[in-house]
Amino acid sequence: MEAFSSYITDLGAAVVLPVLITLFAIAIGQKPGRALRSGILIGVGFIGVNLVIGLLGSSIGPAATELANRLSVDLDVVDVGWPSSAAIAFGSKVGAVIIPFCLALNVVLLLTGLTRTFDIDLWNYWHFALGGALVAVVMDSFWWGLLGAAIAMIVTLALADLSAPMIQKYFGFPDISFPHMTSAPYALLALPLNRLMDKIPGLNRLEADPAAIQRRFGLFGETMFLGLGIGLVIGVAGFGFDDPRADSIAILTLGITVAAVMVILPRMVAILMEGLVPVSESARTFMQKRFPGRRYYIGLDSAIAAGQPAVVATSLILVPVTLLVAIALAPLGNRVLPLVDLATIPFIVAVMVPLFGGNIIRSVVGGAIAIGGGLFIATAISGTFTAVALASGFDNASGASRISSLVDGANPLTGLLVGMGELGPAAAVVLLLASLAFAFVVRRIVARRDVAAEETAGASA
């Protein structure tokens, strides 16, 4: 199993995801030709999204590094990024069995009514694997690690159910949810924070979504010009003007590159959606035939939200903000310098943005709070993260004594799992029961929400 898991990791998501989706689509009744087309389109879209995200990272990375150098940052825990984190996760013993295990668990939760989400985002099960692998190292037990992965999935599915209506309304995705561990946990921050902001004078009336910005600024409020402006500001902050010729070239190039990302990324997401929609429709039909009268959500990668203008704009603003937050928190104990995962901030804020109604200012504030708190988590678990990486055969090319990541190392659910493992078996059992209770509470909330929606529909009919 470990050899097979290593092979899967080496193939990468762009190859594995089309194969898994094709087989999955055939299993739920889609014709082989259509299933294969969907799988290949998803692979093409995934490559396209990652190319654009990679372009963003390679363009912003030098500016971020220069900004860190200019501010004399000395943070010794290296952010190795999500690709390395995924390789570490799938290279672990928990990762070797994570896909069949989580699929079986998802089916059990569906049958018992503890979730509405049918998570077909198979590749991203690696997040659950990484959480489980961290627990396995802390508790020195594969089985407790597997329990940790189960808890991670239960909580993530419940959060996906809780945020689904707002995601569906904002993005226009019917019956879709985001059981993506990179995104889902931050719903618990965004929901109360948005209510708090509604009570703050001035802020509660400030319209800062892309449509409002475009209405106010006309042509220059378009997402392309918004990207250009953000890119220029990041460039000036990072490169300065010590060498006017070289720095001006770098700043202008970054501005145009970010503008290009704002235009191209939504089109890459559209390709990904072209492959995902037929599969999600087949999955919905499959579930409705076997469980008539019950409503289900199809769980997808939050990558399909990464190209939305408010998500991209929020993420770009958060790049320098994240670096400044990391530096400001260093005296308080932060040791993590975010670098590689700066390009994955769109995934971190993908659920937060719709919960803030697309308001970019609120989303930036929420994102800064989430990432700031996450840096302390990433620092605290960096020793365990490094131990899991070494056990998985990770080649630490950076040479750093400790590594972590912004995507999973700074994730509150990851921190909760590691804390559970350090407290021992009793805490693990308590957290399992708590996660099931949370799923039950969310189920009741979702049911009440359905009744209210039906009453509203009946009244307007």
Side-chain angles (χ1 to χ4, degrees), residues 7-309:
Y7 179 69
I8 293 294
T9 303
D10 291 341
L11 282 176
V15 176
V16 174
L17 201 55
V19 173
L20 289 176
I21 290 295
T22 299
L23 294 174
F24 175 78
I26 292 172
I28 60 176
Q30 206 173 69
K31 293 182 179 179
R34 193 180 183 207
L36 180 60
R37 183 180 187 276
S38 293
I40 293 173
L41 270 175
I42 289 169
V44 170
F46 198 85
I47 287 175
V49 168
N50 281 320
L51 281 174
V52 180
I53 294 291
L55 172 64
L56 181 63
S58 63
S59 302
I60 288 182
T65 302
E66 285 298 318
L67 178 60
N69 291 336
R70 290 162 68 84
L71 295 173
S72 302
V73 178
D74 185 21
L75 300 171
D76 62 337
V77 178
V78 174
D79 168 22
V80 295
W82 79 263
S84 296
S85 299
I88 292 167
F90 278 129
S92 68
K93 291 181 179 179
V94 175
V97 299
I98 198 66
I99 291 179
F101 174 74
C102 283
L103 266 177
L105 176 60
N106 195 177
V107 170
V108 170
L109 294 170
L110 285 166
L111 291 173
T112 57
L114 285 178
T115 187
R116 283 190 174 182
T117 295
F118 187 16
D119 188 0
I120 66 172
D121 183 21
L122 306 181
W123 170 261
N124 277 317
Y125 285 6
W126 74 261
H127 295 283
F128 309 136
L130 183 60
L134 290 167
V135 172
V137 165
V138 172
M139 300 185 73
D140 193 25
S141 167
F142 165 78
W143 297 108
W144 285 115
L146 207 57
L147 178 70
I151 292 170
M153 187 176 205
I154 292 167
V155 173
T156 301
L157 289 173
L159 289 170
D161 289 348
L162 186 65
S163 59
M166 289 156 280
I167 287 170
Q168 293 162 11
K169 180 179 179 181
Y170 184 77
F171 292 114
F173 301 149
D175 297 328
I176 295 299
S177 68
F178 291 156
H180 192 173
M181 193 170 145
T182 300
S183 312
Y186 300 106
L188 288 180
L189 169 66
L191 286 168
L193 188 58
N194 191 52
R195 292 194 185 98
L196 176 63
M197 291 179 178
D198 282 338
K199 298 178 180 179
I200 299 176
L203 185 60
N204 56 3
R205 296 184 179 181
L206 183 60
E207 295 183 353
D209 60 281
I213 292 172
Q214 187 166 355
R215 284 197 305 271
R216 182 170 297 179
F217 296 101
L219 176 67
F220 294 101
E222 290 184 11
T223 55
M224 179 175 65
F225 286 100
L226 188 62
L228 176 65
I230 293 172
L232 292 175
V233 170
I234 293 173
V236 171
F239 298 114
F241 281 105
D242 296 333
D243 183 341
R245 183 181 185 279
D247 290 338
S248 63
I249 290 173
I251 292 166
L252 292 170
T253 301
L254 181 58
I256 292 296
T257 300
V258 174
V261 168
M262 295 289 281
V263 174
I264 298 171
L265 188 54
R267 301 183 185 185
M268 295 299 101
V269 171
I271 296 173
L272 185 64
M273 284 298 295
E274 187 180 346
L276 280 171
V277 167
V279 179
S280 66
E281 289 175 348
S282 296
R284 188 180 303 113
T285 302
F286 177 85
M287 296 301 293
Q288 288 172 348
K289 282 183 178 179
R290 284 151 184 80
F291 306 101
R294 293 174 63 178
R295 187 180 177 189
Y296 291 96
Y297 304 140
I298 304 304
L300 300 178
D301 191 332
S302 55
I304 64 175
Q308 202 276 339

